[in-house]
Coordinates of all heavy atoms in Angstrom, one line a residue:
Q1 N -10.5 -26.3 -3.1 CA -11.3 -26.8 -4.2 C -10.8 -28.2 -4.6 O -11.6 -29.0 -4.9 CB -11.2 -25.8 -5.3 CG -12.0 -26.1 -6.5 CD -11.8 -25.0 -7.5 OE1 -10.9 -24.2 -7.4 NE2 -12.7 -25.0 -8.5
T2 N -9.5 -28.4 -4.5 CA -9.0 -29.7 -4.9 C -9.0 -30.7 -3.8 O -8.9 -31.9 -4.1 CB -7.5 -29.6 -5.4 OG1 -6.8 -29.0 -4.3 CG2 -7.4 -28.7 -6.6
I3 N -9.2 -30.3 -2.6 CA -9.3 -31.3 -1.5 C -10.7 -31.6 -1.0 O -10.9 -32.3 -0.1 CB -8.4 -30.7 -0.3 CG1 -9.0 -29.4 0.3 CG2 -7.0 -30.6 -0.6 CD1 -8.3 -29.0 1.6
V4 N -11.7 -31.1 -1.8 CA -13.1 -31.3 -1.4 C -13.6 -32.5 -2.3 O -13.2 -32.7 -3.4 CB -13.9 -30.1 -1.7 CG1 -15.4 -30.3 -1.4 CG2 -13.4 -28.9 -0.9
E5 N -14.5 -33.3 -1.7 CA -15.1 -34.4 -2.4 C -15.9 -33.8 -3.6 O -16.4 -32.7 -3.5 CB -16.0 -35.2 -1.5 CG -15.2 -35.9 -0.4 CD -16.1 -36.6 0.6 OE1 -17.3 -36.7 0.3 OE2 -15.6 -36.9 1.7
D6 N -16.0 -34.6 -4.7 CA -16.6 -34.1 -5.9 C -18.1 -33.7 -5.6 O -18.5 -32.7 -6.2 CB -16.6 -35.2 -7.0 CG -15.2 -35.4 -7.5 OD1 -14.4 -34.5 -7.4 OD2 -14.9 -36.5 -8.0
D7 N -18.8 -34.4 -4.8 CA -20.2 -34.1 -4.6 C -20.4 -32.8 -3.8 O -21.6 -32.3 -3.7 CB -21.0 -35.3 -3.9 CG -20.4 -35.7 -2.6 OD1 -19.2 -35.4 -2.3 OD2 -21.2 -36.2 -1.7
K8 N -19.4 -32.3 -3.2 CA -19.5 -31.1 -2.3 C -18.8 -29.9 -2.9 O -18.8 -28.8 -2.4 CB -19.0 -31.3 -0.9 CG -19.8 -32.4 -0.2 CD -19.4 -32.6 1.2 CE -20.2 -33.6 1.9 NZ -20.3 -34.9 1.3
R9 N -18.2 -30.0 -4.1 CA -17.5 -29.0 -4.7 C -18.4 -27.7 -5.1 O -17.9 -26.6 -4.9 CB -16.8 -29.5 -6.0 CG -15.8 -28.5 -6.5 CD -14.9 -29.0 -7.6 NE -14.0 -29.9 -6.9 CZ -13.6 -31.1 -7.4 NH1 -14.2 -31.6 -8.5 NH2 -12.8 -31.9 -6.7
G10 N -19.6 -27.9 -5.5 CA -20.5 -26.8 -5.8 C -20.8 -26.0 -4.6 O -20.9 -24.8 -4.6
R11 N -21.0 -26.7 -3.4 CA -21.3 -26.0 -2.2 C -20.1 -25.1 -1.7 O -20.2 -24.0 -1.3 CB -21.7 -27.0 -1.1 CG -23.0 -27.7 -1.4 CD -23.3 -28.7 -0.3 NE -24.4 -29.4 -0.7 CZ -24.9 -30.5 0.0 NH1 -24.3 -30.8 1.1 NH2 -26.0 -31.1 -0.4
V12 N -18.9 -25.7 -1.9 CA -17.7 -25.0 -1.5 C -17.5 -23.8 -2.4 O -17.1 -22.7 -1.9 CB -16.5 -25.9 -1.5 CG1 -15.2 -25.2 -1.3 CG2 -16.6 -27.0 -0.4
M13 N -17.7 -23.9 -3.6 CA -17.5 -22.8 -4.5 C -18.6 -21.7 -4.3 O -18.3 -20.6 -4.5 CB -17.5 -23.3 -6.0 CG -16.3 -24.1 -6.4 SD -14.7 -23.2 -6.0 CE -14.9 -21.8 -7.0
S14 N -19.8 -22.1 -3.9 CA -20.8 -21.1 -3.7 C -20.4 -20.3 -2.4 O -20.6 -19.1 -2.4 CB -22.2 -21.7 -3.5 OG -22.2 -22.5 -2.4
I15 N -19.9 -20.9 -1.4 CA -19.4 -20.2 -0.2 C -18.3 -19.3 -0.6 O -18.2 -18.1 -0.1 CB -19.1 -21.2 0.9 CG1 -20.4 -21.9 1.4 CG2 -18.4 -20.5 2.1 CD1 -20.1 -23.0 2.4
Y16 N -17.3 -19.8 -1.3 CA -16.2 -19.0 -1.8 C -16.6 -17.8 -2.6 O -16.2 -16.7 -2.3 CB -15.3 -19.9 -2.6 CG -14.2 -19.1 -3.3 CD1 -13.0 -18.8 -2.6 CD2 -14.3 -18.7 -4.6 CE1 -12.0 -18.1 -3.2 CE2 -13.3 -18.0 -5.3 CZ -12.1 -17.7 -4.6 OH -11.1 -17.0 -5.2
T17 N -17.5 -18.0 -3.5 CA -18.0 -16.8 -4.3 C -18.8 -15.8 -3.4 O -18.6 -14.6 -3.6 CB -19.0 -17.4 -5.4 OG1 -18.3 -18.3 -6.2 CG2 -19.5 -16.2 -6.3
M18 N -19.6 -16.3 -2.5 CA -20.3 -15.4 -1.6 C -19.3 -14.6 -0.7 O -19.5 -13.4 -0.4 CB -21.3 -16.2 -0.7 CG -22.1 -15.3 0.2 SD -23.1 -14.1 -0.8 CE -23.9 -13.3 0.6
A19 N -18.3 -15.3 -0.2 CA -17.4 -14.7 0.7 C -16.6 -13.6 0.0 O -16.3 -12.5 0.6 CB -16.4 -15.7 1.3
F20 N -16.1 -13.8 -1.2 CA -15.2 -12.8 -1.9 C -15.9 -11.8 -2.8 O -15.5 -10.7 -2.9 CB -14.2 -13.6 -2.6 CG -13.1 -14.2 -1.7 CD1 -13.2 -15.6 -1.4 CD2 -12.2 -13.4 -1.2 CE1 -12.3 -16.1 -0.6 CE2 -11.2 -14.0 -0.3 CZ -11.3 -15.3 0.0
F21 N -17.1 -12.2 -3.3 CA -17.8 -11.3 -4.2 C -19.0 -10.7 -3.7 O -19.4 -9.6 -4.0 CB -18.1 -12.0 -5.6 CG -16.8 -12.4 -6.3 CD1 -16.6 -13.8 -6.5 CD2 -15.9 -11.5 -6.7 CE1 -15.4 -14.2 -7.2 CE2 -14.7 -11.9 -7.4 CZ -14.5 -13.3 -7.6
G22 N -19.7 -11.5 -2.8 CA -21.0 -11.0 -2.3 C -20.9 -10.0 -1.1 O -21.8 -9.3 -0.9
V23 N -19.8 -10.0 -0.4 CA -19.6 -9.2 0.8 C -18.9 -7.9 0.4 O -18.9 -6.9 1.1 CB -18.8 -10.0 1.8 CG1 -18.6 -9.1 3.1 CG2 -19.5 -11.2 2.2
T24 N -18.3 -7.8 -0.8 CA -17.5 -6.6 -1.2 C -18.4 -5.3 -1.2 O -17.8 -4.3 -0.7 CB -17.0 -6.8 -2.6 OG1 -16.1 -8.0 -2.6 CG2 -16.1 -5.7 -3.1
P25 N -19.6 -5.3 -1.6 CA -20.4 -4.0 -1.6 C -20.6 -3.5 -0.2 O -20.6 -2.3 0.1 CB -21.7 -4.4 -2.2 CG -21.4 -5.6 -3.1 CD -20.4 -6.3 -2.4
F26 N -20.7 -4.4 0.8 CA -20.9 -4.0 2.2 C -19.6 -3.4 2.7 O -19.6 -2.4 3.5 CB -21.3 -5.1 3.1 CG -22.7 -5.7 2.7 CD1 -22.8 -7.0 2.1 CD2 -23.8 -4.9 2.8 CE1 -24.0 -7.4 1.7 CE2 -25.0 -5.4 2.4 CZ -25.1 -6.7 1.9
G27 N -18.4 -4.0 2.4 CA -17.1 -3.4 2.7 C -16.9 -2.0 2.1 O -16.4 -1.1 2.8
N28 N -17.3 -1.9 0.9 CA -17.2 -0.6 0.2 C -18.1 0.4 0.9 O -17.7 1.6 1.0 CB -17.6 -0.7 -1.3 CG -16.6 -1.5 -2.1 OD1 -15.5 -1.6 -1.7 ND2 -17.0 -2.0 -3.2
L29 N -19.3 0.0 1.3 CA -20.2 1.0 2.0 C -19.5 1.5 3.3 O -19.6 2.6 3.6 CB -21.5 0.3 2.3 CG -22.6 1.1 3.0 CD1 -23.0 2.3 2.1 CD2 -23.8 0.2 3.3
V30 N -18.9 0.5 4.1 CA -18.3 0.9 5.3 C -17.1 1.8 5.0 O -16.9 2.8 5.7 CB -17.9 -0.4 6.1 CG1 -17.0 0.0 7.3 CG2 -19.1 -1.2 6.6
A31 N -16.3 1.4 4.0 CA -15.1 2.3 3.7 C -15.5 3.7 3.2 O -14.9 4.7 3.6 CB -14.2 1.6 2.6
G32 N -16.6 3.7 2.5 CA -17.0 5.0 2.0 C -17.5 5.9 3.2 O -17.3 7.1 3.2
G33 N -18.3 5.3 4.1 CA -18.7 6.0 5.3 C -17.6 6.5 6.2 O -17.6 7.6 6.7
L34 N -16.6 5.6 6.3 CA -15.4 6.0 7.1 C -14.6 7.1 6.5 O -14.1 8.0 7.1 CB -14.6 4.7 7.3 CG -13.4 4.8 8.3 CD1 -14.0 5.2 9.7 CD2 -12.7 3.5 8.4
A35 N -14.5 7.0 5.1 CA -13.8 8.1 4.4 C -14.5 9.4 4.5 O -13.8 10.5 4.5 CB -13.6 7.7 2.9
N36 N -15.7 9.4 4.7 CA -16.5 10.6 4.8 C -16.1 11.3 6.2 O -16.1 12.5 6.2 CB -18.0 10.4 4.8 CG -18.8 11.6 4.7 OD1 -18.4 12.6 4.1 ND2 -20.0 11.6 5.3
Y37 N -15.8 10.5 7.2 CA -15.4 11.1 8.5 C -13.9 11.4 8.7 O -13.6 12.4 9.2 CB -15.9 10.1 9.6 CG -17.4 10.1 9.8 CD1 -18.1 9.0 9.4 CD2 -18.1 11.2 10.3 CE1 -19.5 9.0 9.5 CE2 -19.5 11.2 10.4 CZ -20.2 10.1 10.0 OH -21.5 10.1 10.1
I38 N -13.1 10.4 8.3 CA -11.6 10.6 8.5 C -10.8 10.9 7.3 O -9.6 11.1 7.4 CB -11.1 9.4 9.3 CG1 -11.1 8.1 8.4 CG2 -11.8 9.2 10.6 CD1 -10.3 7.0 9.0
G39 N -11.4 10.9 6.1 CA -10.7 11.2 4.9 C -10.3 10.0 4.1 O -10.0 8.9 4.8
S40 N -10.1 10.1 2.9 CA -9.8 8.9 2.0 C -8.4 8.4 2.3 O -8.2 7.2 2.5 CB -9.9 9.3 0.5 OG -11.2 9.6 0.2
P41 N -7.3 9.2 2.4 CA -6.0 8.7 2.7 C -6.0 7.9 4.0 O -5.3 6.9 4.1 CB -5.1 9.9 2.7 CG -5.8 10.9 1.9 CD -7.3 10.7 2.2
N42 N -6.6 8.5 5.1 CA -6.6 7.8 6.4 C -7.4 6.5 6.3 O -7.0 5.5 7.0 CB -7.2 8.7 7.4 CG -6.3 9.9 7.7 OD1 -5.0 9.8 7.5 ND2 -6.8 11.0 8.2
T43 N -8.4 6.4 5.5 CA -9.2 5.2 5.3 C -8.3 4.1 4.7 O -8.3 3.0 5.1 CB -10.5 5.4 4.6 OG1 -11.2 6.4 5.2 CG2 -11.3 4.2 4.4
V44 N -7.6 4.5 3.7 CA -6.7 3.5 3.0 C -5.6 3.0 3.9 O -5.3 1.9 4.0 CB -6.1 4.1 1.7 CG1 -5.1 3.2 1.1 CG2 -7.2 4.4 0.7
I45 N -5.0 3.9 4.7 CA -4.0 3.6 5.7 C -4.6 2.6 6.7 O -3.9 1.6 7.1 CB -3.4 4.8 6.4 CG1 -2.6 5.6 5.3 CG2 -2.5 4.5 7.6 CD1 -2.1 7.0 5.8
L46 N -5.7 2.9 7.2 CA -6.4 2.1 8.2 C -6.7 0.7 7.6 O -6.5 -0.3 8.3 CB -7.7 2.7 8.7 CG -8.5 1.9 9.8 CD1 -7.6 1.8 11.1 CD2 -9.8 2.6 10.1
G47 N -7.1 0.6 6.4 CA -7.4 -0.6 5.8 C -6.1 -1.5 5.6 O -6.1 -2.7 5.8
G48 N -5.0 -0.8 5.3 CA -3.7 -1.5 5.2 C -3.2 -2.0 6.5 O -2.7 -3.1 6.6
V49 N -3.4 -1.2 7.6 CA -3.0 -1.7 8.9 C -3.8 -2.9 9.3 O -3.3 -3.8 9.9 CB -3.1 -0.5 9.9 CG1 -3.0 -1.0 11.4 CG2 -2.1 0.6 9.6
I50 N -5.1 -2.8 9.0 CA -6.0 -4.0 9.4 C -5.6 -5.2 8.6 O -5.5 -6.3 9.2 CB -7.5 -3.6 9.1 CG1 -7.9 -2.6 10.2 CG2 -8.4 -4.8 9.2 CD1 -9.3 -2.0 9.9
C51 N -5.2 -5.1 7.4 CA -4.8 -6.2 6.6 C -3.5 -6.8 7.1 O -3.3 -8.0 7.2 CB -4.6 -5.8 5.1 SG -6.1 -5.6 4.2
I52 N -2.5 -6.0 7.5 CA -1.3 -6.4 8.1 C -1.5 -7.2 9.4 O -0.9 -8.2 9.6 CB -0.3 -5.3 8.2 CG1 0.2 -4.8 6.9 CG2 0.9 -5.7 9.1 CD1 1.0 -3.5 6.9
L53 N -2.3 -6.6 10.2 CA -2.6 -7.2 11.5 C -3.4 -8.6 11.3 O -3.1 -9.5 12.0 CB -3.5 -6.3 12.4 CG -2.7 -5.1 12.9 CD1 -3.7 -4.2 13.7 CD2 -1.6 -5.4 13.8
A54 N -4.3 -8.6 10.4 CA -5.0 -9.9 10.1 C -4.1 -10.9 9.5 O -4.2 -12.1 9.9 CB -6.2 -9.6 9.1
S55 N -3.2 -10.5 8.7 CA -2.2 -11.5 8.1 C -1.3 -12.0 9.2 O -1.0 -13.2 9.2 CB -1.4 -10.9 7.0 OG -0.6 -9.9 7.4
A56 N -0.9 -11.2 10.1 CA 0.0 -11.6 11.2 C -0.8 -12.6 12.1 O -0.3 -13.6 12.6 CB 0.5 -10.4 12.0
F57 N -2.0 -12.3 12.4 CA -2.9 -13.2 13.2 C -3.1 -14.5 12.6 O -2.9 -15.6 13.2 CB -4.2 -12.5 13.5 CG -5.2 -13.4 14.2 CD1 -5.1 -13.6 15.6 CD2 -6.2 -14.0 13.5 CE1 -6.0 -14.4 16.2 CE2 -7.2 -14.8 14.2 CZ -7.0 -15.0 15.5
F58 N -3.4 -14.5 11.3 CA -3.7 -15.8 10.6 C -2.4 -16.6 10.4 O -2.4 -17.8 10.4 CB -4.5 -15.6 9.3 CG -5.9 -15.2 9.5 CD1 -6.4 -14.0 9.1 CD2 -6.7 -16.0 10.2 CE1 -7.7 -13.6 9.3 CE2 -8.1 -15.7 10.4 CZ -8.5 -14.5 10.0
T59 N -1.3 -15.9 10.2 CA 0.0 -16.6 10.1 C 0.3 -17.3 11.4 O 0.8 -18.5 11.4 CB 1.1 -15.7 9.7 OG1 0.8 -15.1 8.5 CG2 2.4 -16.4 9.6
K60 N 0.1 -16.7 12.5 CA 0.3 -17.3 13.8 C -0.6 -18.4 14.0 O -0.2 -19.5 14.6 CB 0.1 -16.2 14.9 CG 0.6 -16.7 16.3 CD 0.6 -15.6 17.3 CE 1.1 -16.1 18.6 NZ 1.2 -15.1 19.6
Q61 N -1.9 -18.3 13.6 CA -2.9 -19.4 13.8 C -2.5 -20.6 12.9 O -2.8 -21.8 13.3 CB -4.3 -18.9 13.4 CG -4.8 -17.9 14.4 CD -5.0 -18.4 15.8 OE1 -5.5 -19.6 16.0 NE2 -4.7 -17.6 16.8
L62 N -1.9 -20.4 11.8 CA -1.6 -21.4 10.8 C -0.5 -22.3 11.4 O -0.5 -23.5 11.2 CB -1.1 -20.8 9.5 CG -0.7 -21.8 8.4 CD1 -1.9 -22.6 7.9 CD2 -0.1 -21.0 7.2
G63 N 0.4 -21.8 12.1 CA 1.5 -22.6 12.6 C 2.7 -22.6 11.7 O 2.9 -21.6 10.9
S64 N 3.5 -23.6 11.7 CA 4.7 -23.7 10.9 C 4.3 -24.0 9.4 O 3.7 -25.0 9.1 CB 5.6 -24.8 11.4 OG 6.6 -24.9 10.5
P65 N 4.5 -23.1 8.5 CA 4.2 -23.3 7.1 C 5.2 -24.2 6.4 O 5.1 -24.4 5.2 CB 4.1 -21.9 6.5 CG 5.1 -21.1 7.3 CD 5.1 -21.7 8.7
G66 N 6.2 -24.7 7.1 CA 7.3 -25.5 6.4 C 6.8 -26.8 5.9 O 7.4 -27.3 5.0
F67 N 5.7 -27.3 6.4 CA 5.3 -28.7 6.0 C 3.8 -28.7 6.2 O 3.3 -28.5 7.3 CB 6.0 -29.7 6.9 CG 5.7 -31.1 6.4 CD1 6.4 -31.6 5.3 CD2 4.9 -32.0 7.0 CE1 6.2 -32.9 4.8 CE2 4.7 -33.3 6.6 CZ 5.3 -33.7 5.5
M68 N 3.1 -29.0 5.1 CA 1.6 -29.1 5.1 C 1.2 -30.5 4.6 O 1.8 -31.0 3.7 CB 1.0 -28.0 4.3 CG 1.3 -26.6 4.8 SD 0.1 -25.5 4.1 CE 1.0 -24.7 2.8
V69 N 0.2 -31.0 5.2 CA -0.3 -32.3 4.8 C -1.8 -32.2 4.5 O -2.6 -31.6 5.2 CB -0.2 -33.4 6.0 CG1 -0.7 -34.7 5.6 CG2 1.3 -33.5 6.4
Y70 N -2.2 -32.7 3.3 CA -3.6 -32.7 2.9 C -4.0 -34.1 2.7 O -3.3 -35.0 2.3 CB -3.7 -32.0 1.5 CG -3.1 -30.6 1.5 CD1 -1.9 -30.4 0.9 CD2 -3.8 -29.5 2.0 CE1 -1.3 -29.1 0.9 CE2 -3.3 -28.2 1.9 CZ -2.0 -28.0 1.3 OH -1.5 -26.8 1.3
T71 N -5.3 -34.3 3.0 CA -5.9 -35.7 2.8 C -6.8 -35.5 1.6 O -7.8 -34.8 1.6 CB -6.7 -36.1 4.0 OG1 -5.7 -36.2 5.1 CG2 -7.2 -37.5 3.8
V72 N -6.6 -36.3 0.6 CA -7.4 -36.2 -0.6 C -7.9 -37.6 -0.9 O -7.1 -38.5 -1.3 CB -6.6 -35.8 -1.8 CG1 -7.4 -35.7 -3.1 CG2 -5.9 -34.4 -1.5
S73 N -9.2 -37.9 -0.8 CA -9.8 -39.1 -1.0 C -9.0 -40.3 -0.5 O -8.6 -41.2 -1.2 CB -9.9 -39.3 -2.6 OG -10.7 -38.3 -3.1
S74 N -8.8 -40.3 0.8 CA -8.1 -41.3 1.6 C -6.7 -41.5 1.2 O -6.1 -42.5 1.5 CB -8.9 -42.7 1.6 OG -8.7 -43.3 0.3
T75 N -6.1 -40.6 0.5 CA -4.7 -40.6 0.1 C -4.0 -39.4 0.7 O -4.5 -38.3 0.6 CB -4.5 -40.6 -1.4 OG1 -5.2 -41.6 -2.0 CG2 -3.0 -40.6 -1.8
T76 N -3.0 -39.6 1.5 CA -2.3 -38.5 2.1 C -1.2 -37.9 1.1 O -0.4 -38.6 0.6 CB -1.6 -38.9 3.4 OG1 -2.6 -39.4 4.3 CG2 -0.9 -37.8 4.1
V77 N -1.3 -36.6 0.9 CA -0.4 -35.9 0.0 C 0.4 -34.9 0.9 O -0.1 -34.1 1.6 CB -1.1 -35.1 -1.1 CG1 -0.2 -34.4 -2.0 CG2 -2.0 -36.1 -1.9
C78 N 1.7 -35.0 0.8 CA 2.6 -34.1 1.6 C 3.2 -33.1 0.7 O 3.7 -33.4 -0.4 CB 3.7 -34.9 2.3 SG 3.1 -36.1 3.4
D79 N 3.1 -31.8 1.1 CA 3.6 -30.7 0.3 C 4.6 -30.0 1.1 O 4.3 -29.3 2.0 CB 2.5 -29.8 -0.1 CG 3.0 -28.6 -0.9 OD1 4.0 -28.7 -1.5 OD2 2.3 -27.5 -0.9
S80 N 5.9 -30.3 0.9 CA 7.0 -29.7 1.6 C 7.3 -28.4 1.0 O 7.6 -28.3 -0.2 CB 8.2 -30.6 1.7 OG 9.2 -29.9 2.4
M81 N 7.4 -27.3 1.7 CA 7.8 -26.0 1.2 C 9.2 -25.7 1.4 O 9.7 -24.6 1.2 CB 6.9 -24.9 1.8 CG 5.4 -25.1 1.6 SD 4.4 -23.9 2.4 CE 4.6 -22.5 1.4
M82 N 10.0 -26.7 1.9 CA 11.4 -26.5 2.1 C 12.1 -26.7 0.8 O 11.7 -27.5 -0.1 CB 11.9 -27.6 3.2 CG 11.2 -27.5 4.5 SD 11.3 -26.0 5.3 CE 13.0 -26.1 5.8
P83 N 13.3 -26.0 0.6 CA 14.0 -26.2 -0.6 C 14.5 -27.6 -0.8 O 14.8 -28.3 0.2 CB 15.2 -25.3 -0.5 CG 15.0 -24.5 0.8 CD 13.9 -25.1 1.5
S84 N 14.4 -28.1 -2.0 CA 14.8 -29.5 -2.3 C 16.4 -29.6 -2.2 O 17.1 -28.6 -2.6 CB 14.3 -29.9 -3.7 OG 14.8 -29.1 -4.7
E85 N 16.8 -30.7 -1.8 CA 18.3 -30.9 -1.7 C 18.9 -31.4 -2.9 O 18.4 -32.1 -3.7 CB 18.5 -31.9 -0.5 CG 18.1 -31.3 0.8 CD 18.3 -32.2 1.9 OE1 19.0 -33.2 1.8 OE2 17.7 -32.0 3.0

């Protein structure tokens, strides 16, 4: 949201809202159907395993989180996550 140009911020927020709030009912429908077949506790465990695997995958795709660089309106901002000396 902060790295997007001002004229495109509304579009980015609409995609964000659709991704996190608009898709939730479909996920609930799938989880409810799965719980009907394998039980609620197993569905929750499966969801947790999927979340852990997805976080491992995206962490590997992200690369080294020690140093991130953002470009904001032709100004480069560096955000170091290393402890300050």
Side-chain angles (χ1 to χ4, degrees):
Q1 188 177 12
T2 59
I3 61 174
V4 177
E5 297 175 13
D6 289 338
D7 61 331
K8 294 180 180 61
R9 187 167 290 136
R11 294 177 186 177
V12 170
M13 289 308 298
S14 68
I15 291 172
Y16 171 83
T17 302
M18 182 62 182
F20 286 101
F21 299 117
V23 181
T24 303
F26 298 112
N28 291 338
L29 181 64
V30 170
L34 190 59
N36 191 32
Y37 288 110
I38 66 172
S40 297
N42 292 334
T43 302
V44 173
I45 290 170
L46 182 64
V49 168
I50 290 171
C51 286
I52 290 170
L53 292 175
S55 66
F57 173 76
F58 287 119
T59 300
K60 188 173 183 176
Q61 293 294 322
L62 179 65
S64 174
F67 189 74
M68 295 200 260
V69 177
Y70 305 100
T71 302
V72 180
S73 301
S74 73
T75 303
T76 302
V77 178
C78 297
D79 179 24
S80 177
M81 298 175 80
M82 303 300 288
S84 58
E85 296 178 15

